[in-house]
Amino acid sequence: MTFHTARPVPPAVRRELLTLDDAGRPAVPRTDDEGGAPLRCCLRHSRPGERVALVSYAPLRRWAAETGADPGAYDEQGPVFVHAEECAGPEGADLPFTRAHRTLRRYSADGRILGGRLVEAPEDFGPALTEAFADPGVALVHVRAVEYGCFLYEVRRD
């Protein structure tokens, strides 16, 4: 059986984004009175009363900086919610945010899109990721919301 690990926004990156996000703006923390925001730092939905911030994040750009890749026009940034205060990180190993349609966008080692796939049911995420990584050219996969296209998390080749 193949296991896939969802990678949250790392703690050091979350702290950077709260100071100055990837669009060059400081975060504006707020209290989430209702809860339900998909937090990318711990890969769960916010709870009522938690302090969160909506920041601009460029996950492929940051990955490219680590690996030396040049994503060119595929370098994009978008909105993500993170905790505005300390975050303990993910609570479990299950793939998060699978209870809605998602797009799995595949990227090569040089940062180019290799394709994508719509995943509609929670039980289809594991097989879809296994299929993606069966292609030796796939270096990482971004899981994104369908309705807004927002980045949710990354899965890298083990």
Side-chain angles (χ1 to χ4, degrees), residues 7-113:
R7 298 172 61 99
V9 170
V13 172
R14 182 191 62 79
R15 288 189 293 275
E16 289 173 15
L17 294 171
L18 291 171
T19 300
L20 203 62
D21 71 13
D22 287 343
R25 291 185 291 269
V28 180
R30 67 175 180 83
T31 299
D32 186 352
D33 293 326
E34 296 179 16
L39 296 165
R40 285 23 171 251
C41 50
C42 55
L43 303 178
R44 66 168 173 81
H45 288 99
S46 62
R47 298 177 183 120
E50 286 187 302
R51 300 276 297 156
V52 301
L54 183 62
V55 297
S56 185
Y57 180 52
L60 195 61
R61 180 185 311 158
R62 287 178 175 270
W63 171 81
E66 287 177 26
T67 64
D70 178 13
Y74 297 106
D75 175 21
E76 60 186 344
Q77 63 191 31
V80 298
F81 286 101
V82 294
H83 274 116
E85 297 165 349
E86 282 305 308
C87 175
E91 296 172 348
D94 293 338
L95 291 173
F97 309 129
T98 60
R99 302 225 180 268
H101 294 172
R102 303 292 183 217
T103 298
L104 275 58
R105 193 181 296 171
R106 304 170 185 187
Y107 291 93
S108 66
D110 63 357
R112 301 299 192 260
I113 291 177

Side-chain angles (χ1 to χ4, degrees), residues 4-5 7 57-67 69 71 74 103-116 128-129 132-144 151 153-158:
H4 302 93
T5 304
R7 298 172 61 99
Y57 180 52
L60 195 61
R61 180 185 311 158
R62 287 178 175 270
W63 171 81
E66 287 177 26
T67 64
Y74 297 106
T103 298
L104 275 58
R105 193 181 296 171
R106 304 170 185 187
Y107 291 93
S108 66
D110 63 357
R112 301 299 192 260
I113 291 177
L114 293 177
L129 286 165
F133 287 115
D135 177 346
V138 172
L140 71 153
V141 174
H142 283 181
V143 177
R144 292 179 171 263
F151 171 85
Y153 57 90
E154 174 181 290
V155 179
R156 294 187 187 180
R157 183 177 292 285
D158 290 332

